[in-house]
């Protein structure tokens, strides 16, 4: 399964005031593992950046004037996102801004993000897992032990990288056996709900598991213990029961 963890920075908070995307960052996961591939661009918004937004991400119009416009990177972005599942924190905000930018392109461009891929909102997921608690990215990093000490300002690529680690931790770890792919096909653990999946061991040994067989002496001692249990239980020791009796 291919997933893209995505974040944006903008000139301000509202589309109605004509605000634009100024940074977009994406991190690729395949079968819940970082691939090392990412997409990152600063964008020229062709307008001023609100002072409140600059305080959050530090990006000024002067710094962005030499950056490409969204239309210049749109085709590359679309191909990077196509057919993936997008992982976004507070997805409606980012999706609305990307949809607005797509809508400014020629008619041949995709009409919306959801025409390209599925979207999973980690804010909704976090609120389900941790009701009544703070669920912004910093709070989730602290809750799941993700180091975000270097996050002095928001940044689309940095935040996408942090969110990728938070998402993997929040949904069971990077090497969750239930979601790993094997050469024989996809392994799944049936009958587990989301809470139970989070308790599946997160790490899998790289080497083959050693099988240690019991010695003759240990087998004999086990047999003697079973006799004692059978007698003490009045013949109801489950070891000796047939499947129907058990």
């Amino acid at each position: 399964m291919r997933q893209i963890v995505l974040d944006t920075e903008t000139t301000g908070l509202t589309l109605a005031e004509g605000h634009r995307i100024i940074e977009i960052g994406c991190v690729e996961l395949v079968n819940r593992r970082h691939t090392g591939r990412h997409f990152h661009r600063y964008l020229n918004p062709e307008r001023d950046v609100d002072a409140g937004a600059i305080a959050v991400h530090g990006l000024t119009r002067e710094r962005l004037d030499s950056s490409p416009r969204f239309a210049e990177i749109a085709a590359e972005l679309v191909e990077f996102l196509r057919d993936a599942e997008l992982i976004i924190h507070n997805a409606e905000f980012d999706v609305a801004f990307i949809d607005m930018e797509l809508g400014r392109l020629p008619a041949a461009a995709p009409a919306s993000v959801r025409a390209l891929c599925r979207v999973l909102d980690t804010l909704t997921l976090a609120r389900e897992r941790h009701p009544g608690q703070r669920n912004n990215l910093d709070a989730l990093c602290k809750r799941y032990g993700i180091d975000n000490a270097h996050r002095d300002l928001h940044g689309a690529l940095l935040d996408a990288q942090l969110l990728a680690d938070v998402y993997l931790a929040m949904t069971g770890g990077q090497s969750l056996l239930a979601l790993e792919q094997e050469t024989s096909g996809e392994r799944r653990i049936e009958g587990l709900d989301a809470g139970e999946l989070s308790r599946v061991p997160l790490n899998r040994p790289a080497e083959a598991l050693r099988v240690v067989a019991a010695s003759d002496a240990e087998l004999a001692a086990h047999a003697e213990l079973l006799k004692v249990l059978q007698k003490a239980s009045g013949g109801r020791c489950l070891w000796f029961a047939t499947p129907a009796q058990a």
Side-chain angles (χ1 to χ4, degrees), residues 131-242:
Q133 300 182 52
R134 296 186 65 190
N135 287 301
N136 60 33
L137 185 56
D138 283 332
L140 290 171
C141 284
K142 181 177 181 180
R143 189 171 300 143
Y144 287 100
I146 308 300
D147 182 10
N148 67 338
H150 51 306
R151 191 187 186 230
D152 296 323
L153 293 170
H154 291 209
L157 183 59
L158 170 61
D159 289 0
Q161 291 167 335
L162 290 172
L163 181 59
D165 290 338
V166 165
Y167 166 74
L168 291 171
M170 186 163 54
T171 57
Q174 185 167 353
S175 299
L176 180 64
L177 299 186
L179 297 172
E180 285 188 343
Q181 297 285 333
E182 296 186 330
T183 55
S184 60
E186 188 175 21
R187 283 185 69 180
R188 298 189 181 276
I189 299 178
E190 302 294 343
L192 297 184
D193 62 24
E196 291 171 318
L197 282 174
S198 67
R199 296 192 290 275
V200 174
L202 306 186
N203 297 311
R204 182 182 190 179
E207 69 279 359
L209 294 174
R210 290 193 312 125
V211 178
V212 180
S215 66
D216 290 342
E218 289 168 333
L219 290 172
H222 181 251
E224 288 302 315
L225 178 60
L226 289 176
K227 290 179 183 178
V228 172
L229 293 175
Q230 179 75 339
K231 182 177 180 180
S233 65
R236 294 192 298 273
C237 178
L238 290 179
W239 187 273
F240 298 108
T242 65

Side-chain angles (χ1 to χ4, degrees), residues 14-50:
T14 60
L15 290 172
E17 296 178 3
H19 286 294
R20 305 285 301 275
I21 295 175
I22 55 177
E23 185 186 7
I24 186 163
C26 307
V27 174
E28 183 183 63
L29 305 175
V30 174
N31 298 332
R32 298 178 57 81
R33 296 181 184 276
H34 289 273
T35 67
R37 291 187 67 215
H38 68 271
F39 180 95
H40 181 226
R41 297 289 186 277
Y42 292 105
L43 300 172
N44 181 350
E46 304 178 275
R47 60 153 291 154
D48 290 337
V49 184
D50 280 2

